[in-house]
Amino acid sequence: MPPTPPEPAAVLARPHTAELTGWGRTAPTASDVRRPTSATELQRALPNGSPRGLLARGLGRGYGDCAQNSGGTVVETTDVDAFTIHDADPASDTVLVTAEAGASIDRLLHALVPQGLFVPVTPGTRYVTVGGAIAADIHGKNHHRKGSWCQHVTSLHLQLADGEVVEIGPDRDPELFWATAGGMGLTGVVLDATFACPRIGSSRLLVDTDRAADLDEVLELMASGDHAYDYSVAWIDLMAGGRATGRSVLTRGRFATAEEAAPAAGPDPYAYSAGVLASAPPFVPDGLLNKLTVRAFNELWFRKAPVRRRDELQTIPTFFHPLDMVGGWNRIYGPQGFLQWQFVIPFGAEATLRRIIEELSASGCTSFLAVLKAFGEADPAPLSFPAPGWTLALDIPAGVRGLGPLLDRLDELVVAEGGRVYLAKDSRVRPELVPQMYPRLDEWRAVRNRVDPQRRIRSDLSRRLGL
Amino acid sequence: MRDAVGAVQSVLVLGGGSEIAQAIVDRLVGGRCRTVVLGARDITALSPVAARWQAAGATVDSFAFDALDPASHQAAVDAAFDAHGDIDMAIIAFGVLGDQATFDADPVAAADAARANYVGAVSASLAVASRFRTQGHGTLLVLSSVAGVRARADNYVYGSTKAGLDAFAQGLGDALVGTGSRVVVVRPGFVHGRMTEGMQPAPFATTPDKVADAVVAGLAKGREVIWAPAVLAPVFTVMRNLPRGVWRRVSAR
Ligand SMILES: Cc1cc2nc3c(=O)[nH]c(=O)nc-3n(C[C@H](O)[C@H](O)[C@H](O)COP(=O)(O)OP(=O)(O)OC[C@H]3O[C@@H](n4cnc5c(N)ncnc54)[C@H](O)[C@@H]3O)c2cc1C
Ligand SMILES: NC(=O)c1ccc[n+]([C@@H]2O[C@H](COP(=O)([O-])OP(=O)(O)OC[C@H]3O[C@@H](n4cnc5c(N)ncnc54)[C@H](OP(=O)(O)O)[C@@H]3O)[C@@H](O)[C@H]2O)c1
């Protein structure tokens, strides 16, 4: 977390009313916020929720309203963060880790990497909790190879709406387990989880970079070459138009062996340091990010990238979490906040992908580099986001004129191709589209109704979308 | 719930017959709004608009509401919230313009205007605010007026009711900081319509549709005060600071 000193436990355990938002800082709502300091205290929260229900919250890195519960109780898990790295046969590829829900990937990495281990999946920020990783069934740059987070979970403890604690997993009440994976916290409170962490040869990555002049080129590079890499993602400049539409920088890589890493890593192949190098100023006026500043930034960034580079050694923070180097960077969007729109459409729908990118680029709305990736197979979770196809994610300032109607139109294109948007990032999709985007929604609802018939677990997202 | 681009899913209008409010609701229903609840003196008169919004996919409900009966406000507002779940936005739209000459001759009529425009708005707003606090979110849209920025000799009763309302609404907005709810004050200028029928338009006269457009744009931008048209913001900054004698001449019709 950004370097705010922790408040005394006694103060935090007491409920207080606070306004909360997601990472995009839009649509704040107030709730009764509790921050238990132990697993026992966490378990006590659910039976004592308010009439407007209860919801678990991790580090608030969901972009929209998924971790808010207006007028109800919100339990912040971040102080319940103990974890154990289990003993394993040195010959095994993975090692099991059991972590309490509030443990962050940041904390885990500080313990795992020096022991030659990594997390199975990491998002673009390490400031997410294990609970949030499960609730959003998060994906990373390795989705095409390793799938999403919950595919690596062997079991978890879930506290249900009536207070009962159950242990579930892919082979233990799989229905409830997969409804919890990507279930946006609505099936219960995850107390802890056990997941398999892969071994790594060093704390460095061997990275190949390719600069693609347009969309066709980057799609072709990914389609033909991703299988050779463990990790792959492209940054795409959505402000470039005309022949440069879709120009991108593709970075792909894998963990280096100790020998490969030696020139950069020095004596300790597993040395790991990750910190916040700078902080965004606490108050930023509206309109700092305008068309000119963003266009200039994107231009500079594109030109800086090598046309083709092979086997560059990069650190974990540089390769996986570059945004984390600036603390509180979400504030640069000013008081109105911003939103992230992320969708996936199946392979074969490249014409629609192109049309969406062209419309975004023509709309002139300011977007820093967006992220493009090819997903692999989906897991069995009815509300899990990833599905085979292309996913594009972009940040847009919320105050942009006509943004609502523009994204509504683009959603229609996505749905027409059988695609969907990511609920962990959503803050504005038309509720009527959700059953089309997630055709197994009713299957998920049946499980939710089984474990929470009275809807004691609620979120602003569930209210807004009628989940 | 209100979304990231300022769209709401449900709206409660107090003074449901208001042309300005109806133009706003038209736009909300064109967006995400699927629940419209109208409080009005004469609910039968609302059938045509109700039918229009139903055709657009919204559920429309109405109930009897009289601004002049503050004792009934909390119960009426509670019933609306209880029946429809979360209300994302409430619009305080009722108001009477009246006629200064009539008020001069009939102090009781003047007091009634004050009771509707100010007293009734105070109790109705507080009734809504208490429900907003409970649900942890909500936008209260208060239709004030530029007439309240500085009272004019030819409509100072009306102007003073709006001045009181405007001050009340700003204070309430500040009091609600941290509760997830907020107050947005709308200050239209002269709006062509029922209320101003037969009157000579003031400079920068506008229409209910244009006011509604300004409101929707202001909501998306997270504004706390919306002037309609926008030019009235600088104009009234000047007007408010004119020497009294100059103001008297400028504001005389
Ligand atoms: C810069 C940035 C980059 C990102 N990159 C990616 C990415 O590459 N891939 C990706 O998949 N996501 C990405 N995300 C999204 C992020 O991974 C998810 O939103 C994740 O859920 C956030 O975890 P959190 O701990 O902050 O949870 P919160 O945001 O606090 O909560 C998210 C959801 O999890 C639920 N939840 C939290 N804890 C529990 C619990 N103990 N039990 C039950 N439910 C719980 C909440 O109710 C809520 O619905 C990114 C976000 C940011 C800000
Ligand atoms: N028009 C303008 O030039 C202008 C300019 C600035 C501000 N405003 C303000 O904007 C708001 C809406 O005005 P508008 O232009 O839409 O005018 P409108 O159409 O006349 O609307 C006013 C509404 O207030 C209702 N009302 C009056 N007394 C009431 C009472 N005691 N109880 C319940 N409802 C009552 C009226 O109900 P009935 O339908 O039963 O009569 C009418 O529907 C008003 O507050 C007005 O002061 C108007």
Side-chain angles (χ1 to χ4, degrees):
Chain A
M1 272 302 289
T4 39
E7 292 172 46
V11 176
L12 295 171
R14 245 191 301 129
H16 63 284
T17 300
E19 273 186 8
L20 297 173
T21 68
W23 188 243
R25 302 174 79 231
T26 54
T29 59
S31 6
D32 159 18
V33 179
R34 302 179 194 176
R35 200 188 296 176
T37 52
S38 68
T40 343
E41 243 180 75
L42 173 58
Q43 279 188 51
R44 225 175 286 144
L46 223 177
N48 296 307
S50 79
R52 284 178 66 89
L54 178 138
L55 185 75
R57 177 181 174 101
L59 281 163
R61 257 41 175 204
Y63 274 76
D65 48 9
C66 62
Q68 289 166 242
N69 178 21
S70 56
T73 305
V74 169
V75 188
E76 290 183 342
T77 62
T78 45
D79 287 341
V80 185
D81 61 350
F83 58 87
T84 315
I85 303 171
H86 298 284
D87 295 334
D89 175 352
S92 70
D93 293 342
T94 58
V95 171
L96 288 179
V97 172
T98 300
E100 289 181 334
S104 66
I105 288 186
D106 179 48
R107 279 218 354 163
L108 286 166
L109 289 180
H110 277 100
L112 291 172
V113 176
Q115 299 193 31
L117 296 169
F118 199 59
V119 285
V121 167
T122 176
T125 172
R126 59 183 179 268
Y127 299 116
V128 303
T129 63
V130 166
I134 291 168
D137 194 14
I138 60 169
H139 57 269
K141 294 183 180 189
N142 59 352
H143 189 274
H144 62 292
R145 287 231 143 149
K146 299 286 176 180
S148 47
W149 180 273
C150 293
Q151 284 169 269
H152 305 272
V153 173
T154 56
S155 70
L156 62 85
H157 284 102
L158 183 72
Q159 188 177 28
L160 305 179
D162 63 5
E164 187 196 348
V165 176
V166 294
E167 186 180 349
I168 56 175
D171 41 22
R172 193 156 177 178
D173 198 348
E175 262 196 333
L176 181 55
F177 175 77
W178 291 114
T180 301
M184 303 313 296
L186 298 170
T187 58
V189 177
V190 173
L191 300 174
D192 59 54
T194 300
F195 43 91
C197 291
R199 294 188 194 278
I200 49 178
S202 75
S203 62
R204 304 293 150 136
L205 290 112
L206 270 183
V207 181
D208 289 355
T209 303
D210 293 275
R211 202 164 89 176
D214 59 23
L215 186 64
D216 285 341
E217 190 182 339
V218 72
L219 295 186
E220 163 58 24
L221 281 169
M222 288 171 107
S224 62
D226 268 10
H227 63 269
Y229 295 92
D230 290 343
Y231 299 99
S232 164
V233 76
W235 297 77
I236 177 164
D237 176 8
L238 289 182
M239 295 195 71
R243 278 175 38 213
T245 301
R247 68 177 180 182
S248 316
V249 176
L250 176 61
T251 54
R252 297 183 287 194
R254 61 167 170 84
F255 274 98
T257 62
E259 302 80 70
E260 288 166 337
D268 178 5
Y270 296 123
Y272 175 69
S273 83
V276 176
L277 298 183
S279 252
F283 180 81
V284 179
D286 260 351
L288 173 72
L289 297 189
N290 57 46
K291 230 181 270 182
L292 291 177
T293 53
V294 174
R295 203 184 285 280
F297 172 88
N298 285 7
E299 184 69 38
L300 198 74
W301 160 89
F302 185 76
R303 302 223 164 272
K304 214 186 92 222
V307 177
R308 185 173 190 277
R309 181 165 57 199
R310 289 292 171 271
D311 294 339
E312 183 198 4
L313 284 170
Q314 288 189 6
T315 63
I316 290 170
T318 305
F319 186 70
F320 289 107
H321 310 127
L323 291 169
D324 288 341
M325 287 176 207
V326 182
W329 61 263
N330 55 343
R331 290 195 299 261
I332 63 169
Y333 285 90
Q336 274 180 255
F338 69 111
L339 56 88
Q340 183 167 94
W341 187 59
Q342 181 172 7
F343 68 87
V344 58
I345 50 170
F347 294 124
E350 287 76 16
T352 301
L353 178 64
R354 164 177 301 280
R355 180 160 164 211
I356 290 171
I357 290 172
E358 281 168 355
E359 288 214 21
L360 284 167
S361 129
S363 76
C365 58
T366 48
S367 180
F368 269 123
L369 313 167
V371 168
L372 177 69
K373 163 151 191 75
F375 275 151
E377 288 308 308
D379 68 19
L383 291 193
S384 179
F385 168 67
W390 302 105
T391 184
L392 181 72
L394 55 132
D395 292 349
I396 316 171
V400 167
R401 222 193 162 81
L403 180 59
L406 170 70
L407 293 181
D408 282 352
R409 247 190 355 264
L410 299 183
D411 281 343
E412 297 287 348
L413 298 177
V414 168
V415 167
E417 294 287 359
R420 55 173 66 133
V421 299
Y422 190 6
L423 296 181
K425 306 216 170 149
D426 179 59
S427 55
R428 33 80 29 212
V429 74
R430 199 154 65 79
E432 290 86 344
L433 291 184
V434 176
Q436 285 167 263
M437 294 179 164
Y438 292 89
R440 293 169 63 204
L441 179 61
D442 280 336
E443 193 184 313
W444 176 84
R445 280 186 178 134
V447 181
R448 191 271 313 270
N449 292 347
R450 183 187 107 201
V451 292
D452 185 14
Q454 290 165 350
R455 304 281 171 88
R456 289 169 66 171
I457 299 180
R458 306 248 220 118
S459 67
D460 287 356
L461 177 92
S462 75
R463 289 188 179 93
R464 182 168 56 79
L465 300 182
L467 296 179
Chain B
M1 300 301 305
R2 176 161 66 104
D3 73 11
V5 292
V8 295
Q9 297 180 302
S10 53
V11 65
L12 165 69
V13 185
L14 297 177
S18 148
E19 286 178 292
I20 295 176
Q22 291 182 359
I24 295 171
V25 173
D26 278 338
R27 281 151 187 78
L28 300 182
V29 168
R32 293 282 190 269
C33 187
R34 293 292 171 270
T35 304
V36 181
V37 191
L38 305 167
R41 285 192 293 206
D42 177 9
I43 59 175
T44 55
L46 299 173
S47 315
V49 274
R52 182 164 90 221
W53 295 329
Q54 276 157 350
T59 309
V60 184
D61 190 13
S62 54
F63 63 94
F65 173 84
D66 187 352
L68 290 169
D69 182 14
S72 69
H73 289 179
Q74 187 73 59
V77 165
D78 283 347
F81 275 77
D82 291 343
H84 298 283
D86 286 17
I87 299 282
D88 301 342
M89 177 180 290
I91 308 180
I92 303 292
F94 55 81
V96 288
L97 179 58
D99 165 55
Q100 189 58 45
T102 311
F103 291 154
D104 288 341
D106 183 356
V108 175
D112 278 346
R115 281 173 55 215
N117 292 5
Y118 177 70
V119 178
V122 167
S123 60
S125 300
L126 289 173
V128 169
S130 89
R131 293 302 298 239
F132 277 177
R133 283 179 200 272
T134 312
Q135 71 180 16
H137 70 103
T139 301
L140 183 71
L141 195 71
V142 175
L143 299 188
S144 174
S145 170
V146 294
V149 177
R150 194 162 189 181
R152 265 192 354 237
D154 69 352
N155 82 343
Y156 61 90
V157 168
Y158 176 76
S160 67
T161 65
K162 290 297 186 186
L165 171 64
D166 201 292
F168 164 80
Q170 291 181 56
L172 177 61
D174 291 342
L176 288 176
V177 166
T179 66
S181 314
R182 61 191 186 140
V183 175
V184 178
V185 175
V186 185
R187 294 191 191 128
F190 183 101
V191 184
H192 288 287
R194 215 161 44 132
M195 187 176 265
T196 54
E197 210 176 328
M199 292 173 56
Q200 203 204 320
F204 308 112
T206 184
T207 64
D209 280 328
K210 287 196 183 127
V211 174
D213 286 338
V215 166
V216 170
L219 288 171
K221 283 200 157 293
R223 295 269 188 266
E224 291 184 307
V225 176
I226 298 168
W227 299 77
V231 64
L232 292 177
V235 167
F236 271 84
T237 309
V238 174
M239 293 297 171
R240 196 172 37 211
N241 292 297
L242 288 177
R244 192 84 178 265
V246 178
W247 167 247
R248 268 199 284 276
R249 258 173 290 133
V250 172
S251 64
R253 298 267 193 97

